[in-house]
Amino acid sequence: AKRLLHVAPERVLERAFRRLDHLRYVTADLRSPRAAVRMDLTRIPCADHSFDAVFCSHVLEHVDDDRRAMRELHRVLVPRGWAAIVVPITAPRTQEDPTIGDAATRLRVYGHPDHVRRYGPDCVERLGAAGFSVSTYAAADVGDAEQVARLGLRGDEVIYHCVR
């Protein structure tokens, strides 16, 4: 059976993944009681090469040390394993300032009170620095508008397909 780590699981995807008999499915989240594993993405409590695939959508923009989280995702994947990573691309280049700590300023600067950065297309370089080979896909390439919405995506979003 293939092993899938689903970080901050979206309910609609969780239901779909749980229906797949050939999948050993693990949900993880820092705070959600629904997740099977309470997990800090910068310190994944799993051995090297624990998963064949990872699904991580709209999480890294909340993680203080996203580069460490990316390295951890790379570490827990088997060789040639893959991760589907989605982050909102809202800047020409990634912008972050670790001195911004309050929600009101984060809302003004990053567009959300819990975000710690705005990503730009250079996210590919950050993922590459973590060891991944990265391909990009438009969410609209995944399917029609209804299918994209069912995945919890917008048609203009980028999906990073990251291979270990």
Side-chain angles (χ1 to χ4, degrees), residues 60-76:
L60 292 173
E61 65 272 16
H62 299 271
V63 177
D64 288 334
D65 189 350
D66 68 326
R67 293 174 189 269
R68 182 172 176 175
M70 291 172 185
R71 289 191 305 271
E72 279 290 280
L73 291 171
H74 183 270
R75 179 185 67 77
V76 300

mmCIF file of all heavy atoms in Angstrom, residues 60-76:
data_model
loop_
_atom_site.group_PDB
_atom_site.id
_atom_site.type_symbol
_atom_site.label_atom_id
_atom_site.label_comp_id
_atom_site.label_asym_id
_atom_site.label_seq_id
_atom_site.Cartn_x
_atom_site.Cartn_y
_atom_site.Cartn_z
ATOM 1 N N LEU A 60 2.273 26.209 4.249
ATOM 2 C CA LEU A 60 3.607 26.774 4.428
ATOM 3 C C LEU A 60 3.609 28.282 4.681
ATOM 4 O O LEU A 60 4.522 28.789 5.342
ATOM 5 C CB LEU A 60 4.493 26.434 3.228
ATOM 6 C CG LEU A 60 4.845 24.947 3.097
ATOM 7 C CD1 LEU A 60 5.578 24.689 1.798
ATOM 8 C CD2 LEU A 60 5.661 24.476 4.292
ATOM 9 N N GLU A 61 2.591 28.988 4.210
ATOM 10 C CA GLU A 61 2.531 30.429 4.465
ATOM 11 C C GLU A 61 2.255 30.746 5.934
ATOM 12 O O GLU A 61 2.380 31.882 6.366
ATOM 13 C CB GLU A 61 1.499 31.108 3.553
ATOM 14 C CG GLU A 61 0.071 30.684 3.790
ATOM 15 C CD GLU A 61 -0.344 29.453 2.999
ATOM 16 O OE1 GLU A 61 0.533 28.718 2.483
ATOM 17 O OE2 GLU A 61 -1.564 29.230 2.893
ATOM 18 N N HIS A 62 1.930 29.716 6.722
ATOM 19 C CA HIS A 62 1.682 29.869 8.158
ATOM 20 C C HIS A 62 2.883 29.442 9.003
ATOM 21 O O HIS A 62 2.872 29.626 10.214
ATOM 22 C CB HIS A 62 0.483 29.006 8.585
ATOM 23 C CG HIS A 62 -0.792 29.354 7.904
ATOM 24 N ND1 HIS A 62 -1.663 30.294 8.395
ATOM 25 C CD2 HIS A 62 -1.339 28.891 6.757
ATOM 26 C CE1 HIS A 62 -2.702 30.390 7.582
ATOM 27 N NE2 HIS A 62 -2.531 29.554 6.572
ATOM 28 N N VAL A 63 3.893 28.840 8.379
ATOM 29 C CA VAL A 63 5.014 28.235 9.101
ATOM 30 C C VAL A 63 6.178 29.225 9.171
ATOM 31 O O VAL A 63 6.672 29.683 8.129
ATOM 32 C CB VAL A 63 5.458 26.931 8.396
ATOM 33 C CG1 VAL A 63 6.670 26.327 9.080
ATOM 34 C CG2 VAL A 63 4.298 25.939 8.363
ATOM 35 N N ASP A 64 6.636 29.520 10.399
ATOM 36 C CA ASP A 64 7.728 30.482 10.562
ATOM 37 C C ASP A 64 8.961 30.095 9.750
ATOM 38 O O ASP A 64 9.511 30.922 9.036
ATOM 39 C CB ASP A 64 8.111 30.629 12.042
ATOM 40 C CG ASP A 64 7.062 31.390 12.841
ATOM 41 O OD1 ASP A 64 6.320 32.215 12.252
ATOM 42 O OD2 ASP A 64 6.975 31.160 14.062
ATOM 43 N N ASP A 65 9.406 28.873 9.863
ATOM 44 C CA ASP A 65 10.603 28.423 9.144
ATOM 45 C C ASP A 65 10.187 27.480 8.015
ATOM 46 O O ASP A 65 10.306 26.253 8.119
ATOM 47 C CB ASP A 65 11.569 27.740 10.117
ATOM 48 C CG ASP A 65 12.928 27.448 9.504
ATOM 49 O OD1 ASP A 65 13.086 27.593 8.263
ATOM 50 O OD2 ASP A 65 13.839 27.052 10.261
ATOM 51 N N ASP A 66 9.665 28.065 6.945
ATOM 52 C CA ASP A 66 9.166 27.244 5.837
ATOM 53 C C ASP A 66 10.275 26.445 5.164
ATOM 54 O O ASP A 66 10.051 25.342 4.684
ATOM 55 C CB ASP A 66 8.398 28.083 4.825
ATOM 56 C CG ASP A 66 9.266 29.056 4.046
ATOM 57 O OD1 ASP A 66 10.253 29.583 4.612
ATOM 58 O OD2 ASP A 66 8.955 29.312 2.871
ATOM 59 N N ARG A 67 11.477 26.990 5.141
ATOM 60 C CA ARG A 67 12.585 26.266 4.495
ATOM 61 C C ARG A 67 12.894 24.966 5.245
ATOM 62 O O ARG A 67 13.128 23.926 4.630
ATOM 63 C CB ARG A 67 13.821 27.156 4.395
ATOM 64 C CG ARG A 67 13.621 28.326 3.440
ATOM 65 C CD ARG A 67 14.825 29.260 3.491
ATOM 66 N NE ARG A 67 14.603 30.486 2.777
ATOM 67 C CZ ARG A 67 14.893 30.693 1.504
ATOM 68 N NH1 ARG A 67 15.414 29.736 0.772
ATOM 69 N NH2 ARG A 67 14.667 31.863 0.941
ATOM 70 N N ARG A 68 12.853 25.026 6.560
ATOM 71 C CA ARG A 68 13.061 23.811 7.361
ATOM 72 C C ARG A 68 11.905 22.831 7.122
ATOM 73 O O ARG A 68 12.123 21.623 6.998
ATOM 74 C CB ARG A 68 13.181 24.164 8.836
ATOM 75 C CG ARG A 68 13.431 22.960 9.697
ATOM 76 C CD ARG A 68 13.733 23.340 11.120
ATOM 77 N NE ARG A 68 13.860 22.134 11.921
ATOM 78 C CZ ARG A 68 14.212 22.115 13.169
ATOM 79 N NH1 ARG A 68 14.500 23.246 13.796
ATOM 80 N NH2 ARG A 68 14.284 20.983 13.830
ATOM 81 N N ALA A 69 10.681 23.340 7.061
ATOM 82 C CA ALA A 69 9.522 22.481 6.793
ATOM 83 C C ALA A 69 9.669 21.797 5.433
ATOM 84 O O ALA A 69 9.377 20.600 5.297
ATOM 85 C CB ALA A 69 8.233 23.295 6.856
ATOM 86 N N MET A 70 10.129 22.531 4.431
ATOM 87 C CA MET A 70 10.333 21.940 3.103
ATOM 88 C C MET A 70 11.381 20.837 3.161
ATOM 89 O O MET A 70 11.218 19.772 2.549
ATOM 90 C CB MET A 70 10.752 23.023 2.106
ATOM 91 C CG MET A 70 9.663 24.015 1.771
ATOM 92 S SD MET A 70 10.332 25.386 0.784
ATOM 93 C CE MET A 70 8.907 26.464 0.664
ATOM 94 N N ARG A 71 12.465 21.068 3.912
ATOM 95 C CA ARG A 71 13.498 20.028 4.054
ATOM 96 C C ARG A 71 12.936 18.795 4.768
ATOM 97 O O ARG A 71 13.272 17.656 4.422
ATOM 98 C CB ARG A 71 14.715 20.576 4.797
ATOM 99 C CG ARG A 71 15.530 21.567 3.993
ATOM 100 C CD ARG A 71 16.875 21.894 4.638
ATOM 101 N NE ARG A 71 16.775 22.377 5.999
ATOM 102 C CZ ARG A 71 16.621 23.661 6.349
ATOM 103 N NH1 ARG A 71 16.544 24.599 5.424
ATOM 104 N NH2 ARG A 71 16.564 24.003 7.625
ATOM 105 N N GLU A 72 12.076 19.010 5.753
ATOM 106 C CA GLU A 72 11.457 17.892 6.470
ATOM 107 C C GLU A 72 10.532 17.094 5.549
ATOM 108 O O GLU A 72 10.527 15.863 5.592
ATOM 109 C CB GLU A 72 10.675 18.404 7.684
ATOM 110 C CG GLU A 72 11.538 18.685 8.889
ATOM 111 C CD GLU A 72 12.066 17.396 9.496
ATOM 112 O OE1 GLU A 72 11.338 16.714 10.242
ATOM 113 O OE2 GLU A 72 13.234 17.055 9.204
ATOM 114 N N LEU A 73 9.758 17.788 4.735
ATOM 115 C CA LEU A 73 8.893 17.091 3.782
ATOM 116 C C LEU A 73 9.738 16.236 2.837
ATOM 117 O O LEU A 73 9.390 15.090 2.536
ATOM 118 C CB LEU A 73 8.025 18.078 3.005
ATOM 119 C CG LEU A 73 6.954 18.781 3.835
ATOM 120 C CD1 LEU A 73 6.304 19.898 3.025
ATOM 121 C CD2 LEU A 73 5.908 17.796 4.334
ATOM 122 N N HIS A 74 10.841 16.788 2.384
ATOM 123 C CA HIS A 74 11.760 16.055 1.518
ATOM 124 C C HIS A 74 12.312 14.824 2.248
ATOM 125 O O HIS A 74 12.348 13.716 1.699
ATOM 126 C CB HIS A 74 12.899 16.986 1.075
ATOM 127 C CG HIS A 74 13.851 16.368 0.127
ATOM 128 N ND1 HIS A 74 14.984 15.696 0.545
ATOM 129 C CD2 HIS A 74 13.850 16.316 -1.230
ATOM 130 C CE1 HIS A 74 15.641 15.261 -0.513
ATOM 131 N NE2 HIS A 74 14.984 15.613 -1.595
ATOM 132 N N ARG A 75 12.697 14.993 3.487
ATOM 133 C CA ARG A 75 13.298 13.911 4.276
ATOM 134 C C ARG A 75 12.364 12.714 4.447
ATOM 135 O O ARG A 75 12.793 11.562 4.352
ATOM 136 C CB ARG A 75 13.695 14.444 5.664
ATOM 137 C CG ARG A 75 14.313 13.400 6.590
ATOM 138 C CD ARG A 75 14.577 13.950 7.979
ATOM 139 N NE ARG A 75 13.360 14.260 8.715
ATOM 140 C CZ ARG A 75 12.568 13.363 9.316
ATOM 141 N NH1 ARG A 75 12.852 12.063 9.249
ATOM 142 N NH2 ARG A 75 11.486 13.751 9.968
ATOM 143 N N VAL A 76 11.082 12.982 4.692
ATOM 144 C CA VAL A 76 10.164 11.868 4.993
ATOM 145 C C VAL A 76 9.645 11.161 3.744
ATOM 146 O O VAL A 76 8.981 10.133 3.856
ATOM 147 C CB VAL A 76 8.986 12.302 5.901
ATOM 148 C CG1 VAL A 76 9.504 12.831 7.231
ATOM 149 C CG2 VAL A 76 8.063 13.293 5.214
#
